[in-house]
Amino acid sequence: MKAVVLAAGLGTRFRSEKPKVLHEILGKPMLWYILSTVKGGGIEDIAIVVGHGAQEVKETFGEDYAYFLQENPKGGTADAVLASVDWWRNDDDYLLIINGDSPLVSSETLKNMQRFLFMVEEYEKVKLGGVVLTSVLQDPTGYGRVLKEEGTDRIIKIVEEKDATAQERNIREVNGGVYILYIPYLLEALFKIKPSERTGELYLTDVIGYMTGKGYEVRSFMASDPTEIVGVNTRWELSFAENILRLKLIKYWAQRGVTFHIPETVWIEPDVSLERNVEIFPNVHLRGKTKIGRNAVIETGAVIEDSEVGESAVVEPYSVIRNSVVEEGARVGPHAHVRDGSRIGKGSHVGNFVEVKKSALGEGVRAKHLAYIGDAVLEDDVNIGAGVVTANYDGRKKHKTYIGRGAFIGSNSLLIAPIRVGNMSYVAGGSVVSKDVPDGSLAVERARLRIVEGKGRKLLEG
Ligand code: UD1
Ligand code: MG
């Protein structure tokens, strides 16, 4: 079976330059979810009908899909399907058609729709015109209403809200915008239906009414979770859909042994993965391809993006970790910033107001307060005092710092890169180190301290 995704609409209600389907839900374009769902539903041949912002959509999703341009941006959903007609018209098969603004439909539901179709044909021995995904909503406003033969799942027609009578508007079963339709019947219907008198659009929903009128049976398949059919037509609905998806992801991980405190405040993206017994505190943001290992604790306000946090590591409050690895048992924060391909070795501790950029820290390194470590390699058991800075930039280029195993860098020292501090070397606090320090040496650079007795009081008392 092939699938056609409708993504050519103007998205007028979004008030946006950017195509609606590229607006993001948890860090991924809305259309990404639909494409994943379709692929997860076992369909590989996928076409996207594009219109408004066609180029941008193509650039975002690339060569894996066929693209068809809907010339008339106000043509309507059936006109959009027609834009792809030559791609499927000769198949003696069903076609999946799915709205590009229904990001919450699950792969499971698509599979169940296909199973349902198969079962009806197999056991009831009827050739179906198709199956439409529906749901019963508390508030059906804005959706097409599904009229059925009483007490059956046979659809009579779908009426768009704008065209519905007051009585039809009271129907709470709505069209979810996912259709599996038999191609020969669909083809016939598409060329027969007329544009809506009210809007001039050609409605895909009219195809259903046409088919059933011809005696081609179309059945409704009700989504097991009514939120799956949520259509995103406004930015507020985007927020709503994002919220549902976020809570679903959180629930998914909670069922796999992760604790979330105040889950309604936690942001988690679909490519994040969490091992058992992780504990997530409020206001945490987990982004991109982040992985959190077993027993790790992520404290309040931490932002972690495209990073790995190892087993039993602790990320203390308000730390930011990007494109980096925090190994087993390490501690980061509170208020630390680890970024750009850094690695914090096993059991190391990067404390408050410490920034680590593009640096590799070995095991048992301590940099507990107020430091900048950039473009550096720190071997095991290095101690970095408060206020230490690696001066990695000379105004033109970045340079590297190397600190050997067990070295001690005293507070407020400045290491001017490129520089190498040997194993078991000792840099005295407050030194500006501009030459390499051999293994086991002391480096101290500081003006002689003068003590003038009695002078202090004199200055203070005038
Ligand atoms: C549509 C359905 C409605 C259903 C709802 C579910 C029709 C006529 N109505 O309404 O019954 O309850 O979805 O969410 O189909 N599109 C195009 N070209 C167009 C118009 C739309 O490609 O000319 C695309 C849009 O980009 C969108 C999808 O089709 O992804 C649905 O269009 P939209 O305008 O959002 O239809 P709804 O009013 O939501
Ligand atoms: Mg819509």
Side-chain angles (χ1 to χ4, degrees), residues 13 20 99 101-102 142-143 231-233 237:
R13 291 164 278 182
K20 175 168 92 173
N99 284 352
D101 66 348
S102 301
Y143 292 89
V232 176
N233 300 306
E237 284 166 350

Side-chain angles (χ1 to χ4, degrees), residues 253-259 273-280 292-297 309-312:
W253 291 113
Q255 283 165 339
R256 277 156 190 77
V258 174
T259 297
S273 76
L274 307 173
E275 284 180 10
R276 283 245 306 264
N277 214 34
V278 163
E279 196 165 0
I280 311 273
I292 313 282
R294 209 174 248 254
N295 299 330
V297 178
V309 174
E311 201 173 310
S312 302

Side-chain angles (χ1 to χ4, degrees), residues 1 37-38 40-43 96 107-120 131 180 221:
M1 183 158 79
T37 296
V38 174
I43 300 167
L96 171 76
S107 297
E108 215 29 63
T109 294
L110 282 194
K111 284 191 207 151
N112 287 337
M113 280 176 80
Q114 294 171 66
R115 265 180 220 130
F116 172 71
L117 186 101
F118 174 79
M119 299 285 269
V120 171
V131 180
I180 298 178
F221 181 85

Side-chain angles (χ1 to χ4, degrees), residues 6-9 13 20 70 73 75-77 80 99-101 143-144 160 175-177 179 203 205 231 233:
L6 309 183
R13 291 164 278 182
K20 175 168 92 173
Q70 183 188 6
T77 42
N99 284 352
D101 66 348
Y143 292 89
E160 288 309 299
N175 168 22
Y179 318 79
Y203 294 157
T205 42
N233 300 306

Side-chain angles (χ1 to χ4, degrees), residues 20 124 151 154 191 236 350 355 455:
K20 175 168 92 173
E124 295 183 32
R154 280 189 217 112
F191 287 105
W236 184 238
V350 170
E355 178 178 357
K455 180 79 176 188

